[in-house]
Amino acid sequence: MILDERRVVFVRRIMLWASLAGLFVSTYLLITYVTNGPIVCGVAKGCDIVRNSEWATSFGVPRPLLGVVFYVAIIALLVWRAAYPHTRVRAVYRLSMIAVTIGFIESAFLTFVQAVDIKAYCVWCLTSAVMATILFVAAWWDRSRAFEDRTALRELAIQFWSLMAAVIVGGVLILVLTVPWTDGERPRLEPSQIGAAEDERVRSLLERPDVTFEGPATATVTLIEFIDYQCPACKLAHSEILKVRDRYKGRIRFAFRNFPLPVHKAAVGAALGAVCADKQGKLFAYADVLIANQNALAPADLIRYASSLQFDTAAFKACLTDPSTKALVERDLSDGRELGVNATPTFFVGTTMIEGLPSAEQMGQLIEEALP
């Protein structure tokens, strides 16, 4: 009996701490969803993609809000079981089991959606899924039993101090993660320092003589995007970049550089198609079509798009298999890696590198600072 009680105590503590961790994650995500602020995403780099997908809300409700409600409900049930150990024991236990099962199914579904439909991962969503799984597994080791009064009082005290610690630590972390680091009024975009020390070398890699630019040769500011045409984040960024290109038309030069990622099977083929379109003087129109049709980038699709844009189709087909075309794509990849590019989209305003999904306004602020 004592051993069984110890196990239940341990399980419920694990459930409490997992719920507090999940509540922190959901609260942070909810703040970023509501404010549309930047998400610190770590190596996953898919947080903005997930946030901008159709799965980010459920019936108009941000999914992180559902997470907040779920974790608060689990915490409330755990506190109830310690504060009122002999009241409705079986009913509260069953309600807890139902709640953790729903949370587990929802988290598993969202993880599946990220893998299959969105094809990008939010590290915070995955963390929440882990917490929901821990709750689900732990709940099956729980029991529909009441604590002795002394045990219940001790657990209630542990819950109180755990909650206080979570409020303090979680509050500080959320402030650190959500309060912007500012340079005047400009949001911080994590500019790389490679341009400051080796400006000429960086420019020589970015602005090779055979790179095609949109805009006047006399423009003093260049905007260059390292792009994977099958990358969902690149598609999200494209509408913002179009705004920038339109707003600063005639004042800046813009160029695409190819950076197909191994995770996207059709990306290399699309990059080859872009190079061939460039050889026919229609790179930017062709790039727009590729980005708009990321789910249809097979070789036959590439040729179909070329035909619709009135390319010399025979020359385009020959170009796709020409070794020199592949060499140009590999050259772009090599330049990107040397410059520190490891994800797409990555932008360069002059020699300043910006990763992620900056808005047109944020990118415009950097351009304004660089313009004479």
Side-chain angles (χ1 to χ4, degrees):
M1 192 69 172
I2 294 176
L3 183 61
D4 187 54
E5 183 177 77
R6 287 178 179 174
R7 185 180 74 179
V8 171
V9 166
F10 174 74
V11 164
R12 293 184 192 176
R13 288 181 186 177
I14 292 296
M15 292 178 68
L16 175 68
W17 296 330
S19 297
L20 290 172
L23 179 59
F24 163 75
V25 169
S26 296
T27 301
Y28 170 63
L29 281 180
L30 180 60
I31 292 171
T32 63
Y33 275 47
V34 171
T35 63
N36 199 34
I39 306 177
V40 178
C41 202
V43 296
K45 297 185 180 296
C47 300
D48 282 305
I49 302 174
V50 174
R51 178 173 61 177
N52 286 282
S53 74
E54 62 180 311
W55 301 104
T57 60
S58 180
F59 300 103
V61 177
R63 272 206 151 88
L65 178 58
L66 301 179
V68 169
V69 172
F70 166 67
Y71 290 114
V72 167
I74 298 299
I75 293 168
L77 288 170
L78 290 167
V79 171
W80 173 279
R81 297 171 81 180
Y84 304 98
H86 306 292
T87 304
R88 299 181 180 178
V89 177
R90 188 172 296 276
V92 175
Y93 169 73
R94 288 176 178 172
L95 187 59
S96 178
M97 289 298 297
I98 292 170
V100 297
T101 301
I102 292 173
F104 173 72
I105 292 173
E106 168 77 357
S107 294
F109 170 72
L110 290 178
T111 302
F112 174 80
V113 165
Q114 289 177 74
V116 175
D117 185 59
I118 304 175
K119 294 183 173 62
Y121 295 96
C122 167
V123 67
W124 298 101
C125 304
L126 295 179
T127 302
S128 180
V130 170
M131 295 304 109
T133 302
I134 290 173
L135 285 171
F136 179 73
V137 173
W140 284 98
W141 285 85
D142 196 1
R143 287 290 182 270
S144 175
R145 62 162 296 168
F147 287 144
E148 298 296 331
D149 290 341
R150 180 179 298 179
T151 302
L153 186 61
R154 182 190 65 210
E155 292 308 301
L156 195 60
I158 289 174
Q159 290 174 350
F160 173 79
W161 290 114
S162 295
L163 287 168
M164 290 301 99
V167 168
I168 295 170
V169 175
V172 170
L173 288 175
I174 286 176
L175 282 175
V176 170
L177 292 169
T178 58
V179 174
W181 297 84
T182 58
D183 178 9
E185 296 298 318
R186 177 171 62 84
R188 186 168 179 252
L189 296 179
E190 304 295 344
S192 166
Q193 297 302 312
I194 59 172
E198 302 179 88
D199 191 75
E200 279 306 310
R201 185 183 71 86
V202 172
R203 286 189 186 278
S204 68
L205 291 172
L206 287 171
E207 303 175 26
R208 287 185 179 275
D210 57 351
V211 172
T212 298
F213 282 91
E214 172 190 72
T218 55
T220 57
V221 176
T222 58
L223 171 59
I224 296 174
E225 177 182 358
F226 279 82
I227 188 170
D228 175 326
Y229 289 104
Q230 200 180 6
C231 160
C234 295
K235 187 172 184 177
L236 289 173
H238 192 59
S239 60
E240 296 297 299
I241 295 305
L242 286 175
K243 294 176 186 177
V244 173
R245 287 160 61 184
D246 182 63
R247 183 182 304 167
Y248 294 97
K249 187 175 183 179
R251 302 174 65 193
I252 67 170
R253 294 194 301 159
F254 174 78
F256 286 115
R257 299 292 300 273
N258 294 294
F259 203 80
L261 300 172
V263 70
H264 298 136
K265 295 180 180 179
V268 171
L272 296 174
V275 170
C276 295
D278 191 16
K279 291 182 178 180
Q280 298 201 28
K282 298 183 178 181
L283 168 62
F284 298 103
Y286 194 74
D288 289 343
V289 175
L290 293 179
I291 294 168
N293 296 276
Q294 289 189 333
N295 294 325
L297 296 176
D301 296 315
L302 301 179
I303 295 169
R304 178 164 54 86
Y305 302 146
S307 178
S308 68
L309 292 172
Q310 299 182 336
F311 284 19
D312 180 337
T313 308
F316 183 81
K317 290 179 180 178
C319 176
L320 288 175
T321 57
D322 190 328
S324 66
T325 304
K326 184 177 181 181
L328 286 173
V329 173
E330 291 176 344
R331 192 273 313 275
D332 279 4
L333 276 168
S334 176
D335 285 351
R337 293 192 187 103
E338 189 169 347
L339 290 164
V341 177
N342 54 35
T344 56
T346 294
F347 302 94
F348 284 84
V349 176
T351 55
T352 299
M353 183 170 76
I354 305 104
E355 297 179 283
L357 295 171
S359 67
E361 290 71 24
Q362 291 172 324
M363 191 70 79
Q365 287 171 349
L366 287 178
I367 291 172
E368 291 289 347
E369 291 176 5
L371 285 170

